[in-house]
């Protein structure tokens, strides 16, 4: 066989991000199952569906009962619409130059647009005029997140400006919580109070506002009274609850590689940059061709285990030494039967039911949450860090 150009053809890379759309569908069903009756679920598929592939994630979530889609960038929202996903879509992050080019198309496609300032309102109104179609706007209220959104004292003015323009209609008001992943943080209640007061003012100014939405995954799982008309679910779709919850979710992305080399080393052997690891017994080291350029966080070095699928079953193996740009080393142990070519699961789900190891001990599959804890970050960052250099393989 000839190697095609470019030589980086994904078929020649041993690493895979295996996406299981049925897990996203399952997770969506699990979450719709706990929603208040009037509440719809918006599937958040920004950042390429948290690394799972935007369209794959969107289709799977719609199959599980999502009836809205949300994407930060207007270009992503447009791609969802152009893919024929015929549900309401919300987009919320733009600046003047992209707004000028993309927003008219977005509005023509019937996508809802968030507005959190007078300038954004003008951009949307101009785009709506260019598209000759009325834009549906969601008024974003900054209740303490301090990112996008109008400060509560300016909500009336913004609402007034929106209703004064025939090319705009107010479809919703919304906010984003900054600390819902810590149910003991009083900030959530403060934000909700601020939102409710601002919402009341907005309604006084412009009349009834059809929809309100506040909650992402964390508040959805912990605060049913905050479900309101719509919840915006991201990380839950992908299998990682950001708060302890009885709702069972399955990881939808499994990161795999293959063993490149196994070697026997004596006790006292050093491993990797900075020789931060020294073997304490004669052992076998496995070299894996995946590293921080592929999305593994260097800060996780030496703190995670992976699963190696050997001839005689899965075994756990600790990653040792510093994570390099394109490779890591695992300590397989002196008796390991692992060999070059064996598949390795870095994190995710193992679907063929296997979990006892060679000695019949139960093994658990490492998760993005384990990597996050090891690296001092959150599963969101672990998932979205899996780089474009890792081919996505969608399970059929
Ligand atoms: C505005 C907005 N809503 C909802 C979400 C989804 O959050 P989560 O992934 O915690 O469900 C995000 C993601 O950060 C977001 O930016």
């Amino acid at each position: 066989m000839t190697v095609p150009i470019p030589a980086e053809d994904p078929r020649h890379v041993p690493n895979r991000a295996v996406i299981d759309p049925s897990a996203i569908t399952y997770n969506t069903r699990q979450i719709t199952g706990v929603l208040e009756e009037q509440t719809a679920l918006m599937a958040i598929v920004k950042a390429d569906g948290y690394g799972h592939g935007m369209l794959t994630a969107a289709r799977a979530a719609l199959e599980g009962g999502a009836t809205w889609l949300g994407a930060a960038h207007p270009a992503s929202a447009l791609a969802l619409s152009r893919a024929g996903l015929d549900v309401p879509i919300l987009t919320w992050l733009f600046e003047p130059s992209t707004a000028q080019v993309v927003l008219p198309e977005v509005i023509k496609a019937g996508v809802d647009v968030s507005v959190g300032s007078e300038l954004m309102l003008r951009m949307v109104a101009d785009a709506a005029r260019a598209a000759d179609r009325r834009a549906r706007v969601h008024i974003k209220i900054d209740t303490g997140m301090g990112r996008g959104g109008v400060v509560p004292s300016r909500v009336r003015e913004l609402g007034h400006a929106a209703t004064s323009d025939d090319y705009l209609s107010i479809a919703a008001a919304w906010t984003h919580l900054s600390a819902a992943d810590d149910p003991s943080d009083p900030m959530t209640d403060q934000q909700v109070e601020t939102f409710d007061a601002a919402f009341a003012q907005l309604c006084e100014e412009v009349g009834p506002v059809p929809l309100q939405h506040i909650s992402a995954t964390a508040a959805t799982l912990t605060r049913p009274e905050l479900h309101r008309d719509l919840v915006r679910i991201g990380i839950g779709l992908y299998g990682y609850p950001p708060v302890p919850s009885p709702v069972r979710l399955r990881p939808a992305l499994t990161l795999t590689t293959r063993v490149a080399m196994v070697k026997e080393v004596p006790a006292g052997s050093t491993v990797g940059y900075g020789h931060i690891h020294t073997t304490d017994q004669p052992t076998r080291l496995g070299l894996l061709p995946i590293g921080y350029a592929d999305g593994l966080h260097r800060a996780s070095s030496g703190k995670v285990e992976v699963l190696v699928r050997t001839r005689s079953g899965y075994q756990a193996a600790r990653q040792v030494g510093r994570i390099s740009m394109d490779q890591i080393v695992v300590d397989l142990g002196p008796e390991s039967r692992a060999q070059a070519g064996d598949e390795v699961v870095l994190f995710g789900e193992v679907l063929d039911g296997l979990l006892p190891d060679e000695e019949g001990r139960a093994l658990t599959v490492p998760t993005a949450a384990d990597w996050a804890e090891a690296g001092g970050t959150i599963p969101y960052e672990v998932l979205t860090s899996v780089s474009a250099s890792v081919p996505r393989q969608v399970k059929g």
Side-chain angles (χ1 to χ4, degrees):
M1 174 180 143
T2 48
V3 174
I5 307 287
E8 293 89 353
D9 185 294
R11 287 168 297 176
H12 306 301
V13 175
N15 307 326
R16 292 285 180 276
V18 183
I19 312 301
D20 184 358
S22 77
I24 296 174
T25 300
Y26 171 85
N27 295 334
T28 313
R29 280 205 188 103
Q30 291 291 95
I31 297 169
T32 50
V34 300
L35 295 182
E36 297 296 292
E37 207 175 313
Q38 78 287 354
T39 306
L41 188 149
M42 177 191 291
I44 301 297
V45 294
K46 63 182 189 169
D48 200 24
Y50 287 43
H52 296 63
M54 182 175 73
L55 292 178
T56 302
R59 290 193 179 106
L62 292 176
E63 201 179 321
T67 54
W68 282 70
L69 296 170
H73 295 289
S76 306
L78 191 56
L80 291 166
S81 171
R82 287 189 173 166
L85 303 179
D86 193 17
V87 292
I89 300 170
L90 175 66
T91 185
W92 58 87
L93 202 57
F94 48 91
E95 46 64 60
S97 62
T98 41
Q100 208 180 356
V101 178
V102 189
L103 278 189
E105 293 300 312
V106 162
I107 291 163
K108 214 178 278 174
V111 169
D112 291 11
V113 183
S114 172
V115 158
S117 70
E118 302 248 345
L119 175 62
M120 286 175 91
L121 195 80
R122 273 203 302 281
M123 290 192 274
V124 174
D126 288 349
R129 253 178 279 284
D132 197 23
R133 178 168 176 169
R134 185 184 263 201
R136 286 166 44 92
V137 301
H138 294 220
I139 302 284
K140 171 94 179 267
I141 303 169
D142 178 9
T143 56
M145 185 65 163
R147 302 193 308 195
V150 61
V151 291
S153 60
R154 307 288 299 264
V155 164
R156 272 180 190 278
E157 259 175 288
L158 191 64
H160 180 78
T163 42
S164 313
D165 191 317
D166 285 345
Y167 271 97
L168 302 175
S169 75
I170 300 178
W174 68 300
T175 195
H176 194 49
L177 300 172
S178 65
D181 57 348
D182 177 1
S184 70
D185 193 323
M187 183 68 174
T188 297
D189 286 329
Q190 287 163 24
Q191 285 191 265
V192 172
E193 207 175 295
T194 305
F195 177 79
D196 287 342
F199 186 79
Q201 285 186 10
L202 181 65
C203 293
E204 260 176 44
E205 185 69 39
V206 306
V209 172
L211 299 172
Q212 48 177 297
H213 48 105
I214 295 177
S215 299
T217 304
T220 299
L221 294 177
T222 52
R223 301 282 300 263
E225 78 282 12
L226 301 185
H227 290 177
R228 307 284 168 103
D229 300 301
L230 190 56
V231 291
R232 305 183 307 271
I233 305 296
I235 197 73
L237 302 180
Y238 308 105
Y240 290 92
V243 282
S245 166
V247 177
R248 217 184 81 74
L249 302 174
R250 286 170 43 198
L253 186 155
T254 298
L255 184 63
T256 67
T257 185
R258 288 187 183 278
V259 176
M261 170 183 175
V262 176
K263 71 177 163 199
E264 285 180 46
V265 297
S269 300
T270 56
V271 181
Y273 286 117
H275 51 85
I276 61 168
H277 180 77
T278 305
T279 56
D280 58 5
Q281 60 171 351
T283 191
R284 286 168 186 252
L285 298 178
L287 180 69
L288 310 183
I290 188 166
Y292 60 75
D294 303 296
L296 303 181
H297 289 184
R298 190 168 175 273
S300 313
S301 294
K303 298 186 205 147
V304 288
E305 286 194 340
V306 302
L307 278 187
V308 185
R309 184 181 203 152
T310 75
R311 283 162 289 175
S312 45
Y314 274 85
Q315 74 152 100
R318 177 158 290 275
Q319 189 275 316
V320 291
R322 284 239 157 82
I323 291 173
S324 296
M325 189 181 293
D326 41 27
Q327 47 196 307
I328 58 176
V329 173
V330 293
D331 187 343
L332 296 159
E335 311 298 338
S336 173
R337 300 197 66 203
Q339 59 185 10
D342 284 350
E343 189 183 68
V344 179
V345 176
L346 292 125
F347 62 79
E349 203 176 46
V350 177
L351 291 175
D352 41 2
L354 42 105
L355 284 186
D357 68 359
E358 288 171 324
E359 277 102 50
R361 286 175 311 211
L363 285 173
T364 50
V365 188
T367 65
D370 297 324
W371 280 82
E373 197 185 332
T377 182
I378 51 177
Y380 301 70
E381 193 181 7
V382 172
L383 293 173
T384 55
S385 293
V386 176
S387 79
S389 63
V390 178
R392 267 57 177 173
Q393 179 185 319
V394 179
K395 282 179 88 90

